[in-house]
Amino acid sequence: MRKLLNTLFVLTESTYLSLENSNIVLNLEDKKKKYIPLLGIEEIFCFTYAGASPALIGECAERCIGFNMFSPTGKFLARATGRSYGNVLLRKEQYRWSDDEASRCKVARLMIAAKIYNSKWQIERTIRDHGLRVDVEALKEASEKLGEYVRQCPQIEDIDELRGIEGNAASIYFGIFDQMILQQKDTFTFSGRNRRPPLDPVNAMLSFGYRLLESDCAAALEGVGLDSYVGFMHTDRSGRESLALDLMEEFRAIMVDRLVLSMINLKKISSKDFDFFENGTVYLNDDGRKLFIQEWQSRKREEIKHPYLKEKIQWGLIPYSQALLLARFIRGDLDDYPAFFWK
């Protein structure tokens, strides 16, 4: 099984990245330099205005190190990758599946079933651990509705119908999300999902986490030879990594939502970790992003037993394992795609 390598996050806005020999050079504002060997680095997430040198980006591409560029507020800008590896026949088959309604739905309905199932698991975990502090009946009702949607997914053969079910399930899930927030209610209240821009601290954390997850999924797909821009559930759009958005649906609740709730409920983050703007926009500030990324990286190193592979694996490798299983399914090595149903 593939090993989880290091991810470099650059958060100081004025830092400029360059290349010296086989090292990343962090050129800091006070003219000091910090050197980090490229060996052992798998991904770079750059949240700076200063950017990076073409030489460094080129070397990252040569070494197949993903270079992800964001604004300091977390808005995705671009992703640079090296040459694509993998069997060209796999990608041609992926394109054929993407153009065929039945094939698209065959994959997408499994991913969405896993998404809804894992959202249901998040609710049931709250009932189990905090039954005396939440409205158990409301949460159970939401869980039962999600369970019904999970059972419906395998019979769906129309993408638009599947999108309708996914939207309804998301509405139910986020409708009770605020009840899973048990601490710091003066700062962290949730009245609904908003994205561009986020209008409260909870949405700011969710959006930031989803962007990290999307980049991980895109890197995993490219790593096994699939085209991250050609999806099944999400339609093709210039500049959008549609297959990465498809794949990450399986992990939203159990990787990002769970982390957000944990950080809030354990008081690992507070109002001082956000910037509040006059127009109502809310973003994680520099300290907030550092805290989130520390917890994100720590969670990715935790080991679990993969429900299908039946072997121990780090959370951070789950997108890669699922991308590998998806590639095997498209090639015809598996009879079905074993989506990630967390237990």
Side-chain angles (χ1 to χ4, degrees):
M1 177 57 68
R2 183 174 180 270
K3 291 187 179 295
L4 183 63
L5 301 179
N6 294 318
T7 301
L8 174 64
F9 293 88
V10 183
L11 300 175
T12 306
E13 296 181 13
S14 58
T15 299
Y16 179 73
L17 282 70
S18 59
L19 177 69
E20 186 173 318
N21 298 322
S22 295
N23 297 300
I24 303 167
V25 183
L26 305 180
N27 300 275
L28 307 175
E29 192 172 22
D30 55 7
K31 296 185 179 180
K32 292 182 179 179
K33 294 184 177 182
K34 185 174 181 179
Y35 296 82
I36 299 174
L38 279 166
L39 183 66
I41 297 292
E42 181 173 44
E43 289 278 323
I44 298 173
F45 288 77
C46 186
F47 294 83
T48 75
Y49 283 125
S53 71
L56 174 61
I57 296 174
E59 184 67 16
C60 287
E62 184 68 25
R63 293 170 178 253
C64 294
I65 298 172
F67 196 98
N68 305 275
M69 290 161 276
F70 297 81
S71 72
T73 59
K75 180 182 178 182
F76 176 76
L77 300 176
R79 185 170 189 272
T81 58
R83 64 176 64 90
S84 297
Y85 289 92
N87 192 335
V88 66
L89 299 178
L90 171 63
R91 291 203 174 201
K92 290 180 71 174
E93 189 66 16
Q94 177 191 354
Y95 301 150
R96 282 192 286 266
W97 281 39
S98 180
D99 288 335
D100 179 71
E101 180 80 8
S103 298
R104 291 174 62 196
C105 202
K106 189 176 182 180
V107 178
R109 67 192 180 200
L110 292 166
M111 291 177 168
I112 296 305
K115 174 185 181 178
I116 300 172
Y117 179 92
N118 293 331
S119 299
K120 181 178 184 293
W121 176 89
Q122 180 69 34
I123 296 171
E124 292 176 348
R125 183 173 182 268
T126 300
I127 296 172
R128 183 195 69 198
D129 295 345
H130 307 288
L132 298 177
R133 304 178 61 185
V134 297
D135 186 343
V136 172
E137 290 304 315
L139 293 184
K140 282 186 175 179
E141 182 181 353
S143 178
E144 289 171 2
K145 289 179 179 177
L146 294 183
E148 179 58 32
Y149 284 134
V150 173
R151 289 186 288 272
Q152 290 179 20
C153 282
Q155 284 76 48
I156 296 174
E157 297 183 356
D158 179 79
I159 285 289
D160 288 333
E161 183 182 354
L162 184 63
R163 291 192 184 106
I165 283 181
E166 188 273 336
N168 291 337
S171 179
I172 291 169
Y173 173 67
F174 283 122
I176 52 86
F177 194 83
D178 187 64
Q179 292 206 43
M180 294 189 280
I181 300 172
L182 307 174
Q183 299 286 347
Q184 307 185 84
K185 297 292 284 190
D186 54 334
T187 299
F188 298 100
T189 57
F190 185 85
S191 58
R193 184 78 179 103
N194 49 72
R195 303 168 179 80
R196 304 180 185 89
L199 302 177
D200 59 72
V202 179
N203 274 291
M205 294 176 72
L206 290 172
S207 292
F208 187 73
Y210 291 154
R211 281 191 287 272
L212 296 179
L213 179 58
E214 180 186 345
S215 293
D216 283 353
C217 288
L221 291 163
E222 294 288 342
V224 301
L226 289 167
D227 189 334
S228 63
Y229 287 88
V230 179
F232 302 119
M233 173 77 171
H234 290 81
T235 56
D236 296 341
R237 184 184 300 171
S238 179
R240 181 166 79 174
E241 293 179 305
S242 296
L243 189 57
L245 294 174
D246 288 348
L247 184 64
M248 69 178 282
E249 297 289 10
E250 301 178 36
F251 321 123
R252 285 178 184 262
I254 52 177
M255 292 187 71
V256 177
D257 302 358
R258 182 184 175 193
L259 178 61
V260 168
L261 291 170
S262 175
M263 290 184 70
I264 295 171
N265 291 335
L266 295 178
K267 298 183 178 180
K268 292 184 177 181
I269 197 163
S270 65
S271 60
K272 64 181 178 60
D273 298 309
F274 297 86
D275 287 332
F276 298 83
F277 296 91
E278 291 184 0
N279 65 356
T281 300
V282 181
Y283 289 109
L284 284 160
N285 59 29
D286 192 45
D287 289 337
R289 289 194 297 271
K290 288 178 182 177
L291 278 172
F292 193 98
I293 287 169
Q294 287 171 1
E295 293 296 318
W296 176 252
Q297 291 295 91
S298 178
R299 186 64 59 88
K300 284 171 66 175
R301 288 191 290 269
E302 292 179 5
E303 282 194 346
I304 63 167
K305 187 174 182 180
H306 194 287
Y308 176 78
L309 298 174
K310 305 300 182 185
E311 61 180 72
K312 287 187 176 180
I313 184 174
Q314 292 174 310
W315 268 115
L317 288 176
I318 294 299
Y320 177 82
S321 69
Q322 293 306 119
L324 191 61
L325 291 169
L326 178 61
R328 290 176 179 174
F329 176 47
I330 293 173
R331 278 197 300 262
D333 298 336
L334 294 175
D335 294 332
D336 219 338
Y337 169 61
F340 191 84
F341 289 81
W342 182 231
K343 300 176 181 178

